[in-house]
Amino acid sequence: MSAAETGQPRVLFVGGLGRSGSTLLELLLAQSADVCAVGEVVHLWERALGADERCGCGERFTACPFWQQVGEHAFGGWSAVDRDDVLALKDRVDRTRHIPRLAKNSLSAEQLADVRRYADLYTRIYRAALAATGARVVVDSSKHASLAFALSWAEGLDLRVLHLVRDSRAVAYSWGKQVRRPEVVDGEDFMPTFSPFEVSKLWTAQNAAFHLLAARAQVLRLRYEDFTADPAGTVRRLREFAGLPDDPEALRILTDPPTAPPFRAHSIAGNPLRFNGGPLTVRRDEAWRSRLPRRSRAVVSLATLPFRVRYGYLGQRGSDESVEKA
């Protein structure tokens, strides 16, 4: 019996700090019929409902048949959703500053009502996505730890969390680049940029939060570097974690050449590569090693040292020159 039939949708929530390979990983998983990837649903309220940005399929949100079917199934149509109310609720629930409260064993009646009402919005969307596609698992790459904590309080949701980690220096280099957002139809917009010190704080806070979440939910940790070294093994591992059977067809996109063109997922927000439509190439991006300025590298290396040690980023080839010279 499918999750859509039982009413308890199963979601694989990809968490961590952005620029860690989540979009590529999500697209690889989405090549199987039993997986439905929906992108970063946390941004649906502002970017899709508010700005009518393009879905990963290329259509505007309001013109995408998949998302219109999801809205009809989940809420009786997107027009029934009070976006201002949702955004106000989001501010009361889904912020990093609320994580210490969400990590507790109990909440006040008012807090619990807010958290469960907020989590129910996502549960409805996940259930509707499964009903629309016939898939067994939804992949939500929202990444925000605060949303993952809110979902851990949901009723009737089978939550599995993938904690995706990437070397902090690589993440800092990526967040320093200016990247255009092709989903914006009217005008031009770019992803935000952050200084190395800001990235260090965000990287540490998000990763610490997912360690804390392990007390409330099933959490599997995966390093970006291990994913790119063995994409086929990673897909198998994540399918097992998500409760899906081992299926050789799930790896057909990784054959050389691929046996089928990639499926463009109906994803909200994310890396621009979701619009490429070409082959999904998995390779480790290590441009940061030669392009991240020496001072920036030193700042990030020292500021994120405890977790880099924990994740095995010390002692790798050329990994800590800046620490030694600082």
Side-chain angles (χ1 to χ4, degrees):
M1 185 175 292
S2 71
E5 293 171 323
T6 62
Q8 183 166 325
R10 183 182 307 163
V11 59
L12 177 63
F13 184 95
V14 183
L17 189 60
R19 310 296 177 91
S20 297
S22 62
T23 299
L24 177 58
L25 180 57
E26 177 185 40
L27 288 175
L28 288 180
L29 293 171
Q31 302 309 306
S32 303
D34 53 6
V35 175
C36 172
V38 291
E40 302 176 10
V41 186
V42 70
H43 297 303
L44 181 148
W45 319 108
E46 294 171 293
R47 299 185 183 179
L49 279 182
D52 197 19
E53 293 182 352
R54 289 199 298 157
C55 166
C57 72
E59 297 285 353
R60 280 184 182 249
F61 179 77
T62 53
C64 174
F66 168 79
W67 281 110
Q68 295 318 299
Q69 186 176 352
V70 167
E72 190 64 36
H73 188 283
F75 306 109
W78 293 110
S79 60
V81 176
D82 185 336
R83 196 175 73 91
D84 291 338
D85 178 63
V86 173
L87 290 175
L89 180 62
K90 183 176 186 289
D91 191 61
R92 296 197 300 272
V93 172
D94 187 1
R95 289 288 184 270
T96 300
R97 64 178 179 269
H98 299 318
I99 289 177
R101 182 178 68 201
L102 294 171
K104 294 180 179 179
N105 292 325
S106 62
L107 297 172
S108 69
E110 182 180 3
Q111 291 169 346
L112 183 60
D114 271 352
V115 172
R116 290 226 165 122
R117 186 161 74 90
Y118 183 68
D120 182 62
L121 295 170
Y122 291 83
T123 302
R124 288 173 178 235
I125 291 171
Y126 300 147
R127 187 183 299 118
L130 293 176
T133 60
R136 297 176 59 184
V137 173
V138 175
V139 179
D140 180 348
S141 57
S142 289
K143 289 183 282 298
H144 294 193
S146 53
L147 174 56
F149 267 96
L151 293 176
S152 73
W153 287 93
E155 295 181 301
L157 179 66
D158 183 352
L159 176 66
R160 322 252 174 131
V161 177
L162 172 64
H163 176 197
L164 186 59
V165 176
R166 187 181 184 186
D167 191 305
S168 55
R169 281 83 51 94
V171 175
Y173 169 70
S174 184
W175 277 112
K177 295 188 293 184
Q178 189 173 64
V179 179
R180 191 177 70 85
R181 296 180 58 233
E183 59 266 44
V184 176
V185 180
D186 301 317
E188 189 174 48
D189 193 21
F190 294 85
M191 292 183 176
T193 58
F194 297 105
S195 72
F197 185 63
E198 289 173 317
V199 172
S200 298
K201 292 191 294 182
L202 293 169
W203 188 88
T204 299
Q206 286 294 306
N207 288 323
F210 282 101
H211 284 276
L212 192 61
L213 181 65
R216 295 194 49 83
Q218 298 182 68
V219 178
L220 174 69
R221 187 169 305 115
L222 172 68
R223 298 196 323 170
Y224 161 87
E225 294 77 11
D226 297 330
F227 156 46
T228 54
D230 183 14
T234 297
V235 170
R236 291 192 187 97
R237 184 184 180 196
L238 295 186
R239 285 181 60 85
E240 180 181 7
F241 179 63
L244 296 172
D246 187 17
D247 181 6
E249 283 295 301
L251 304 176
R252 71 188 188 281
I253 197 67
L254 294 172
T255 60
D256 187 18
T259 58
F263 169 71
R264 291 178 68 175
H266 292 286
S267 52
I268 299 293
N271 190 293
L273 72 85
R274 62 201 177 99
F275 292 108
N276 287 351
L280 292 175
T281 303
V282 181
R283 61 177 179 79
R284 186 182 302 183
D285 180 0
E286 294 197 315
W288 66 272
R289 291 188 179 277
S290 59
R291 297 179 184 174
L292 183 66
R294 185 173 174 180
R295 180 179 177 85
S296 298
R297 183 167 173 156
V299 167
V300 179
S301 294
L302 292 173
T304 62
L305 183 61
F307 276 126
R308 287 198 306 110
V309 172
R310 184 166 190 167
Y311 300 145
Y313 288 127
L314 239 58
Q316 295 182 344
R317 176 183 60 82
S319 62
D320 291 286
E321 301 96 332
S322 57
V323 174
E324 295 166 5
K325 296 174 184 176

